Amino acid sequence: MRVNRLASLLLPLILIAAIKVPFGGEITLRLNEPASTDPSPTGYSGAIFTSLLYENLFFLNERGEIDTHLFHTTSYDPQSRVLRLHLRPNLSFSDGSPLTAAQVAASLKVFMGHDLLSSSRLNRLIKTVRSEQDTVRIELIQDAPTILELLAAPELVVVSGQGKTFSGPFTPGEWVKGQSFQLKANPFYPGGRTCLDSVRLLFTDTPTADILLASPGKKIGHYREMDAGVYQSAYLVFPQPGNSVNIQVALTTFLREFFSTLGPSFRPLDSLISDAESPITIRVKTFPEAKMKSLLRYADIKLYALVSLREMEEPFRRYCEANRVHIELLFVEPAQLTNIIKTSGIRFLLIDKTWQRKTSVAEKVARVIRETTFTQFDEKYLRLLNELDETARMDDEKLVMEQAARAITMVVEDGFILPIFQRNFSLYVRERISNLTLDPLGRPRLLGVTKEAP
Amino acid sequence: MNRRAISLRLWVFLSLAPLLPAQGLDRLAGLTADSILEATSGGTVADVTIIRLENHSFLSDAEVQKLYNTIAARLEAAPSIRFHDALLSVQDGRGQFNQTPQQTAAFLVALSLVTNQTRVGIGSAVFSRRLERLTAFKYWEAEIGRPELLALRTLADSFAPTGFSLLHEVEVRDHLLDIAGDREPGGETRYYFLYPDEVEIFTVEEKAMRRVMALPLSWSRPFYPAQFPEGRILVFRQGDDLYLTVGTNSSPNSRILNRKGANWESVRDVPFVPFARLTINRTPFLIGAPYAPGKNSFAGRMCFLPWTATPGTPPPPYEKVFPPFFAAEFTGKDGVFQSVHLVGTDYLLHFYDADFSEQPPETERHGGALAVCQDSWLALSAFTRGEDRLQIAAIAEGGRRFLYRTPLPGEIAFIRAGTWEQHPGFWVLLNVDRDGTTRSTLQFWGAPHAG
């Protein structure tokens, strides 16, 4: 039986020194506004927000090692295929209620019910999950010594089944809808109280946040640039069948040209993920300008877009006016999308996805399929997802790429999604903020962050 | 006219011409000390203290401090008086003094420095408490040249590293929070090492520490995990009983344990972290402060719990407001509470006298570690990163005179007063970065022997 003592539990992030780490202060972080405080780790903004309120069972530390704030030891017996996770004593949620092994086990079961690639991997491997006093007992279907790697999925977080209480470094404070959301330090956080007293999420561009995403290479005074490995891709989706193909092509052409006027950071996208990573290139059909305009002028198009693309609203209105094209642009919250598609019959939908370079190609392609097929998701796509998942588990990159290419081709041939633009981001951090590092997903780690007084 | 009659009069010397040829700072110090001695020596040995020091000359604060130290040294050496050095620091041309000694001194002295072209003049006035009047005023001048000042600056710090000596050093495991020592009735010394979840107990065999047992600590909710664990341990005796108090920044309650044979039993919990036991007005008190939960500093209040080991509900502790601080020590004299030295979260050294009146803090920043040994020595870390300095001041007379500075190749995590092989001194936990890994080393610095 292999017992791993997780040595980093109490290791301070910063050396204990004559000059002690200062506690206090608040930093601001520019994010998309979440729909609720429930864990929503999809998308970069959602992943950051979730990481502030909820604790992972396991995570990758700065040295790339699997680490945890919850367990003092883990033991895996390859004979019985049982993994035991021994919870540290006296852990609590943000309201002081006990954080128990039973709740950790329940959180794992909830995660396994999610529609994510990492969830399905665990589902195929885990036979039972139980709690025994301060221990979570996980029995596997087959020997998997690397099970901890799968438990380090960033979407796997500890949730309390009882009310609004949180396991992460911060806990919700005042939420001013459409403006800001203050998160306060959680004194019971298993990783140790944060140095900062609070983090304020800003949902608008003013005032300028202490941490924000922007195009790479910008010289913003008193900020330093960090490569978060983050990029955004946008797609035009046709949730309902029956559109005129010519209109679809005309609209695609119009949008690709519009976004290219917003600046060099908006590059045309010719794949379903990023051009650099994609195993195949999509040849996007476009029309000459005159044909495009004449088709759109009389088409009476209602274009829906996710609220995360709201920054395009004013430039898009001006671009339409300049080209004498009338396209009604309406914004919709992600949480309301499925409902609106069912009831209002959306025909043209512009959505974006924020990706992290380190997320696997298979995961990204699976997400595109799962989150853009809407009413057109059928057995064929389910089979496609299963095949992708099976291939991803084989750990053969060539095979994965082949399968991903097959999936992309099928999706594109079905004609309900076309790529529009891609945009890279860097994370900009105000110079007064110290000790900020990024996790493998490009999320800022705020535990040891301090902010100097101006 | 006898001496006594002379002492009743006001003596004033016209100050315009120096009485002796200019011979520098040393001469100035000697003349000033002699004139103070002359004014304060009489039939009985009287208590004398300097209460005021003002500098209007071209000397810097550091140079004025050195001049003062020389005067003080001569006065301390004089058998005809008992001199109490109450100077805490010199800042912006003004001396900051502990006011406690002046309440019982028979003579109070004020010094003032001025510039007369290229000369420094020093005026000294002596006030007699018994007579309630100024009994002496003298003025001396001396030529102070740049070469002399330069030599003073260079030489005055020569003795800084020589005072305390490293007597013991041992590598310890990570997260040592505190150390305390106790001498058993049989003569054996035991050391108690506080870690977040246990106390390790050591004896000494052939100049090396040997672990004899570990005492697990169990904490209960509410529990605040800390990024930077901190804690204090206190060991004290009451009659035949040995008590141990342990507190950390993860728990709002500290444990008090009593040794029964080979076992330790819990006596009670207290809502603060004890770090001193003092008698105030004949009542023993446990004194300490609560940590700000999960943080690396104490909250802004000190708690005083009348200590009784008898079971039953103890009275709630008295509380006194202080600024948030990293470390604090109480000092006494002949068993009477005298003062509090405290390094705040502003890294300034704060001083409170026996009435808890605060003197204006120094402007120089120090590190977060502080300790007092035998009510005579105050040790501080430096406001630096990477490397550190152990700075030690003499405080026996109520003042604060930094004498010794020893550079250390690491960063000081804590300083604690203690003994090693009967030598009094300071335990210093040093975090040293070696080959990319950090090692914790516990050092003992022994106090100099009296000459």
Side-chain angles (χ1 to χ4, degrees):
Chain A
M1 181 179 297
R2 186 170 59 232
V3 176
N4 296 317
R5 185 159 201 92
L6 298 156
S8 65
L9 294 169
L10 290 178
L11 267 180
L13 298 175
I14 297 144
L15 191 64
I16 294 175
I19 304 177
K20 294 186 186 239
V21 173
F23 276 75
E26 174 179 275
I27 64 167
T28 53
L29 181 56
R30 176 73 172 92
L31 285 185
N32 293 334
E33 186 165 12
S36 71
T37 56
D38 292 333
S40 175
T42 55
Y44 184 61
S45 243
I48 293 177
F49 182 68
T50 300
S51 72
L52 297 176
L53 294 182
Y54 297 93
E55 178 63 6
N56 289 118
L57 265 67
F58 294 90
F59 57 91
L60 292 179
N61 64 20
E62 281 101 355
R63 295 179 295 278
E65 301 157 345
I66 294 177
D67 206 345
T68 177
H69 291 139
L70 299 177
F71 309 107
H72 58 81
T73 45
T74 67
S75 59
Y76 177 66
D77 179 13
Q79 302 293 328
S80 60
R81 300 184 308 276
V82 169
L83 173 70
R84 284 185 170 83
L85 311 175
H86 305 279
L87 198 66
R88 285 170 60 196
N90 296 318
L91 295 182
S92 302
F93 285 98
S94 58
D95 64 353
S97 59
L99 196 163
T100 63
Q103 283 159 319
V104 174
S107 300
L108 178 53
K109 288 176 188 170
V110 164
F111 173 73
M112 285 164 59
H114 283 161
D115 195 16
L116 294 167
L117 197 60
S118 40
S119 305
S120 67
R121 283 192 185 126
L122 281 175
N123 258 317
R124 289 168 195 278
L125 199 52
I126 291 176
K127 185 177 177 186
T128 59
V129 178
R130 280 208 317 262
S131 63
E132 297 168 345
Q133 293 189 316
D134 292 335
T135 302
V136 179
R137 182 184 184 279
I138 301 171
E139 188 180 353
L140 304 182
I141 295 169
Q142 63 196 58
D143 182 32
T146 57
I147 176 68
L148 284 188
E149 288 175 22
L150 296 180
L151 291 174
E155 301 91 350
L156 174 50
V157 294
V158 179
V159 290
S160 159
Q162 296 140 18
K164 285 293 179 191
T165 185
F166 304 88
S167 56
F170 296 93
T171 184
E174 188 194 10
W175 188 347
V176 179
K177 298 277 185 179
Q179 300 237 356
S180 66
F181 193 174
Q182 188 191 46
L183 307 181
K184 296 182 182 173
N186 173 10
F188 298 104
Y189 176 55
R193 192 215 188 265
T194 55
C195 299
L196 294 168
D197 285 338
S198 56
V199 169
R200 187 177 294 273
L201 309 179
L202 300 181
F203 307 132
T204 59
D205 290 328
T206 49
T208 309
D210 293 319
I211 301 176
L212 53 109
L213 283 177
S215 304
K218 267 191 163 178
K219 299 286 180 224
I220 308 178
H222 305 295
Y223 281 74
R224 62 180 186 278
E225 185 178 349
M226 297 176 81
D227 179 17
V230 172
Y231 62 92
Q232 177 191 37
S233 299
Y235 316 91
L236 182 60
V237 178
F238 314 108
Q240 310 282 353
N243 288 325
S244 152
V245 173
N246 282 344
I247 297 295
Q248 286 182 183
V249 173
L251 185 57
T252 303
T253 311
F254 186 77
L255 287 171
R256 283 169 73 95
E257 285 181 10
F258 158 67
F259 279 106
S260 69
T261 66
L262 295 186
S265 61
F266 289 86
R267 301 190 311 281
L269 179 64
D270 297 315
S271 72
L272 282 191
I273 38 183
S274 74
D275 290 349
E277 294 172 301
S278 179
I280 62 166
T281 300
I282 299 169
R283 196 174 295 166
V284 179
K285 188 178 176 185
T286 56
F287 282 151
E289 187 180 338
K291 182 171 181 181
M292 170 194 70
K293 282 183 185 174
S294 77
L295 281 167
L296 292 179
R297 218 160 266 159
Y298 303 103
D300 191 27
I301 290 172
K302 263 190 188 146
L303 174 65
Y304 286 80
L306 289 183
V307 288
S308 48
L309 291 164
R310 199 177 273 282
E311 64 181 309
M312 70 180 270
E313 185 176 18
E314 190 50 37
F316 187 73
R317 185 189 60 75
R318 289 197 301 268
Y319 190 74
C320 288
E321 275 176 14
N323 286 278
R324 289 187 290 144
V325 162
H326 175 69
I327 296 175
E328 190 180 354
L329 180 61
L330 301 156
F331 290 97
V332 61
E333 295 278 354
Q336 299 162 332
L337 198 54
T338 312
N339 212 32
I340 293 180
I341 286 173
K342 278 186 193 154
T343 56
S344 308
I346 294 178
R347 305 194 78 81
F348 305 102
L349 173 65
L350 189 64
I351 62 171
D352 70 313
K353 297 260 166 263
T354 310
W355 303 111
Q356 220 290 334
R357 212 181 297 130
K358 289 205 171 112
T359 308
S360 70
V361 166
E363 178 86 49
K364 286 175 185 148
V365 171
R367 260 189 68 196
V368 170
I369 295 171
R370 216 178 285 118
E371 294 171 19
T372 62
T373 43
F374 299 110
T375 55
Q376 301 189 59
F377 188 86
D378 58 15
E379 213 178 282
K380 177 180 73 177
Y381 287 110
L382 185 59
R383 204 165 43 242
L384 195 60
L385 285 175
N386 287 338
E387 284 166 6
L388 250 179
D389 184 23
E390 289 286 342
T391 319
R393 291 196 304 124
M394 288 176 197
D395 236 356
D396 181 335
E397 198 179 325
K398 190 174 168 208
L399 219 56
V400 168
M401 284 303 192
E402 281 174 10
Q403 187 61 27
R406 206 171 299 130
I408 293 170
T409 306
M410 190 186 300
V411 167
V412 170
E413 277 175 359
D414 280 355
F416 64 86
I417 180 170
L418 288 169
I420 302 296
F421 75 80
Q422 65 182 350
R423 185 162 61 147
N424 281 11
F425 287 109
S426 283
L427 202 68
Y428 288 84
V429 180
R430 208 183 285 271
E431 281 168 355
R432 280 193 278 122
I433 293 172
S434 302
N435 307 316
L436 182 83
T437 58
L438 303 179
D439 73 2
L441 298 180
R443 298 178 301 184
R445 288 188 222 262
L446 297 184
L447 183 57
V449 164
T450 59
K451 186 179 183 184
E452 293 167 24
Chain B
M1 197 183 282
N2 62 25
R3 260 185 165 183
R4 195 164 178 148
I6 290 169
S7 71
L8 291 171
R9 300 219 181 149
L10 185 66
W11 289 65
V12 176
F13 281 81
L14 293 174
S15 62
L16 296 178
L19 299 182
L20 290 164
Q23 292 186 33
L25 279 175
D26 184 66
R27 186 80 179 154
L28 210 54
L31 289 168
T32 305
D34 288 344
S35 55
I36 294 171
L37 283 170
E38 187 186 336
T40 56
S41 299
T44 56
V45 175
D47 292 297
V48 179
T49 190
I50 298 175
I51 64 162
R52 189 168 173 164
L53 174 61
E54 283 186 5
N55 178 30
H56 304 282
S57 74
F58 58 75
L59 296 180
S60 67
D61 285 348
E63 287 154 0
V64 168
Q65 173 104 50
K66 289 175 177 70
L67 172 63
Y68 171 92
N69 288 346
T70 312
I71 296 170
R74 287 176 198 237
L75 295 176
E76 278 172 352
S80 55
I81 65 167
R82 257 192 311 270
F83 177 69
H84 299 274
D85 179 3
L87 179 70
L88 297 171
S89 64
V90 179
Q91 291 183 84
D92 299 326
R94 196 174 259 274
Q96 305 294 333
F97 290 89
N98 178 0
Q99 297 184 8
T100 304
Q102 58 186 259
Q103 287 158 16
T104 52
F107 292 96
L108 307 176
V109 180
L111 301 176
S112 179
L113 285 96
V114 296
T115 297
N116 183 6
Q117 295 179 341
T118 57
R119 305 162 80 82
V120 171
I122 181 167
S124 61
V126 179
F127 180 88
S128 164
R129 274 193 173 274
R130 185 173 65 83
L131 300 174
E132 293 183 346
R133 61 180 68 196
L134 208 60
T135 57
F137 176 73
K138 286 275 171 74
Y139 177 83
W140 305 102
E141 274 189 10
E143 189 86 30
I144 310 289
R146 281 199 179 283
E148 182 179 354
L149 288 176
L150 195 62
L152 175 67
R153 263 180 238 137
T154 309
L155 293 173
D157 288 334
S158 299
F159 307 101
T162 65
F164 278 64
S165 40
L166 182 61
L167 300 182
H168 185 67
E169 188 171 25
V170 61
E171 204 162 300
V172 295
R173 61 182 171 97
D174 289 342
H175 309 301
L176 176 62
L177 305 181
D178 199 6
I179 179 174
D182 173 68
R183 195 172 167 80
E184 297 281 338
E188 177 191 67
T189 301
R190 289 197 162 194
Y191 294 100
Y192 298 79
F193 284 29
L194 174 64
Y195 290 92
D197 295 321
E198 67 177 0
V199 174
E200 287 190 331
I201 303 174
F202 292 82
T203 57
V204 180
E205 283 180 12
E206 294 177 1
K207 301 196 182 205
M209 291 210 190
R210 185 176 73 86
R211 185 170 178 265
V212 293
M213 73 174 286
L215 184 61
L217 299 173
S218 62
W219 306 102
S220 56
R221 290 193 181 87
F223 185 80
Y224 305 101
Q227 282 193 67
F228 313 106
E230 301 257 349
R232 293 295 300 263
I233 186 168
L234 182 67
V235 178
F236 62 92
R237 289 180 179 272
Q238 183 163 310
D240 294 331
D241 286 320
L242 181 66
Y243 294 91
L244 187 73
T245 73
V246 286
T248 72
N249 59 349
S250 287
S251 175
N253 293 313
S254 300
R255 294 274 143 91
I256 300 180
L257 305 166
N258 175 218
R259 191 173 67 183
K260 299 277 186 205
N263 298 318
W264 290 85
E265 290 178 3
S266 179
V267 173
R268 68 167 74 105
D269 288 354
V270 291
F272 59 92
V273 177
F275 48 76
R277 187 167 162 270
L278 277 182
T279 299
I280 302 175
N281 294 335
R282 287 197 290 271
T283 303
F285 282 88
L286 265 188
I287 303 172
Y291 278 106
K295 294 189 185 181
N296 57 5
S297 61
F298 289 96
R301 62 185 193 277
M302 210 81 81
C303 299
F304 298 79
L305 179 70
W307 168 249
T308 168
T310 55
T313 310
Y318 302 112
E319 291 191 0
K320 186 129 188 73
V321 172
F322 281 83
F325 60 94
F326 291 126
E329 284 278 14
F330 285 72
T331 64
K333 189 168 181 176
D334 301 326
V336 178
F337 165 61
Q338 287 283 298
S339 58
V340 184
H341 298 265
L342 175 155
V343 61
T345 52
D346 53 6
Y347 294 99
L348 297 181
L349 187 55
H350 297 252
F351 175 84
Y352 300 81
D353 63 19
D355 294 327
F356 295 107
S357 304
E358 184 181 3
Q359 298 298 310
E362 287 186 9
T363 53
E364 184 188 353
R365 289 189 291 187
H366 298 277
L370 172 152
V372 166
C373 174
Q374 295 189 320
D375 298 324
S376 297
W377 304 103
L378 169 72
L380 289 165
S381 57
F383 190 75
T384 56
R385 282 197 192 280
E387 288 185 338
D388 215 322
R389 271 194 319 275
L390 182 63
Q391 306 172 112
I392 299 176
I395 57 167
E397 297 301 326
R400 185 169 63 226
R401 197 162 18 116
F402 278 98
L403 296 176
Y404 306 118
R405 285 182 182 82
T406 303
L408 297 176
E411 301 198 33
I412 296 174
F414 68 72
I415 306 172
R416 207 65 74 226
T419 62
W420 174 255
E421 294 192 322
Q422 324 312 322
H423 293 291
F426 294 103
W427 291 102
V428 175
L429 183 69
L430 201 62
N431 288 323
V432 183
D433 200 9
R434 264 190 217 130
D435 307 322
T437 55
T438 303
R439 299 219 170 118
S440 297
T441 303
L442 186 64
Q443 298 181 333
F444 185 82
W445 291 82
H449 296 291

